[in-house]
Amino acid sequence: MELRTLAGAGGGLAVSALCLGTMHFGTKVDRRSAFAILDRFTEAGGTFIDTANTYAFWVAGGTGAESEELLGRWLASRRARDRVVLATKVGALPDPPGAAWPRHAEGLSHAVVRAGFAASARRLGTDHLDVYYAHIEDRRTPLEATAAAFGSLVTEGLVRVVGCSNHAAWRVAAAREIASAAGLPRFTCVQQRHTYLRPRPGAEFGVNPHISDELLDYAREEPDLAVLGYSVLLSGAYTRVDRPLPDQYDHADSTRRLAVLAEVADELGATRNQVVLAWLLRGDPPVLPVLGVSSVAQLDECLGALELELDDELVRRLDHAGQP
């Protein structure tokens, strides 16, 4: 599989162009299915695996530890730790358990970031993390404290790359500037909700916002900042008639873009999902998709996107499809 580079300690970190998200592993996706998906992903050359210390606390009976614990068992059983790039997150877990979320999210204080690292590493069965994200914004904690906490984990050799998710562009920029001024490693990847369709003006996503044009523009000018996108396939809404578009994307702009997406997919003999993934990877800046799949068949469809060649004309058509 094609590799990309995340800037970080030791000159950077090579990762597969597709990242496997494991949000529902251990809850909605059982052990057998999750192991099969992980096996297939790595057999296909995938190396980048994403989880969090919150997955999936909102499922009945969930605590947030399920995904990391399952991944830890898979890593041990396959002796795969040295063959994968492991990413997890901290800051969004309800504290105390069961408290109203996101008002009572654990936050990004120095103590929480350090304790979260220790707990995640224990569940994953590793002595270091390759990528560690600040999961959602915490405006109660000064950015200086958060930047220092993440930076210290890198300088101590416990984390290779630090990043943030679900942050406003100005917060990403400010945190990076603060870390640089203090001589600390700074966030070099950002993970945000992103897809081919654009949300209608004023659409609300709560603490999990869709990526902004401002953040994309900032990343375009910052060569050391990699962008990853989650919810890229809208839970199947591009291809499944039983999955309506989320309300935030249900507007006239989407109708026009979906029409062009279907045309391009037909011309290439590909699925709409595959075209969406290929479009993200060809973007400016390029966006690494975080795949949310629940079966090997779904994963295989996504892997097919790597074989698509979107030439400049197809990219132009897709980019400008929403214009009346």
Side-chain angles (χ1 to χ4, degrees):
M1 189 181 295
E2 177 187 351
L3 298 179
R4 302 293 177 94
T5 301
L6 305 181
L13 183 62
V15 300
S16 55
L18 297 178
C19 177
L20 180 63
T22 64
M23 177 183 289
H24 292 299
F25 286 15
T27 50
K28 293 183 178 180
V29 180
D30 63 25
R31 180 184 183 279
R32 182 176 180 178
S33 298
F35 273 39
I37 293 167
L38 288 159
D39 288 342
R40 174 69 181 116
F41 182 68
T42 51
E43 287 166 4
T47 61
F48 201 4
I49 300 175
D50 180 86
T51 185
N53 71 339
T54 56
Y55 296 162
F57 75 81
W58 56 90
V59 174
T63 66
E66 289 82 5
S67 176
E68 289 185 337
E69 289 174 345
L70 184 145
L71 269 176
R73 292 193 291 272
W74 178 82
L75 290 166
S77 69
R78 304 304 194 257
R79 299 182 179 180
R81 180 63 187 95
D82 293 338
R83 295 187 281 114
V84 301
V85 177
L86 200 55
T88 192
K89 311 178 191 74
V90 67
L93 192 68
D95 182 26
W101 189 89
R103 184 161 59 93
H104 291 291
E106 62 187 341
L108 296 169
S109 68
H110 185 275
V112 167
V113 171
R114 300 289 302 204
F117 164 82
S120 289
R122 182 178 65 253
R123 287 189 287 266
L124 292 163
T126 185
D127 62 357
H128 72 283
L129 297 173
D130 298 306
V131 184
Y132 199 35
Y133 290 101
H135 200 165
I136 62 174
E137 286 190 7
D138 172 17
R139 299 201 178 185
R140 300 165 299 180
T141 300
L143 275 174
E144 290 80 1
T146 298
F150 278 89
S152 68
L153 289 169
V154 178
T155 58
E156 294 172 28
L158 299 173
V159 172
R160 298 180 66 184
V161 172
V162 290
C164 56
S165 183
N166 304 307
H167 279 57
W170 72 266
R171 298 276 292 180
V172 178
R176 282 163 51 86
E177 291 170 3
I178 287 167
S180 294
L184 292 168
R186 60 185 187 170
F187 294 150
T188 55
C189 54
V190 58
Q191 185 180 136
Q192 213 85 343
R193 184 189 300 271
H194 192 21
T195 188
Y196 173 62
L197 297 185
R198 299 178 292 212
R200 57 178 168 75
E204 288 293 333
F205 294 90
V207 296
N208 304 103
H210 191 280
I211 200 165
S212 66
D213 290 339
E214 183 182 15
L215 183 51
L216 287 170
D217 186 53
Y218 175 68
R220 200 173 291 124
E221 300 299 321
E222 297 289 317
D224 71 326
L225 184 64
V227 181
L228 290 93
Y230 69 84
S231 294
V232 292
L233 299 180
L234 300 179
S235 300
Y238 285 111
T239 57
R240 292 176 53 174
V241 296
D242 62 324
R243 296 289 177 90
L245 282 180
D247 176 68
Q248 296 97 327
Y249 299 96
D250 191 3
H251 61 135
D253 181 79
S254 292
T255 302
R256 294 188 289 266
R257 288 175 80 83
L258 285 170
V260 174
L261 177 65
E263 292 172 3
V264 172
D266 287 344
E267 291 171 21
L268 294 175
T271 69
R272 298 177 190 183
N273 286 339
Q274 290 169 339
V275 175
V276 170
L277 296 174
W279 176 81
L280 288 165
L281 288 167
R282 275 289 314 271
D284 179 23
V287 175
L288 277 63
V290 180
L291 306 176
V293 298
S294 57
S295 70
V296 171
Q298 290 176 359
L299 174 60
D300 282 339
E301 180 190 2
C302 293
L303 293 172
L306 299 173
E307 300 173 7
L308 290 188
E309 294 186 10
L310 292 183
D311 61 27
D312 291 344
E313 174 58 21
L314 289 177
V315 172
R316 187 198 65 78
R317 283 171 57 191
L318 290 164
D319 285 347
H320 297 286
Q323 296 180 359

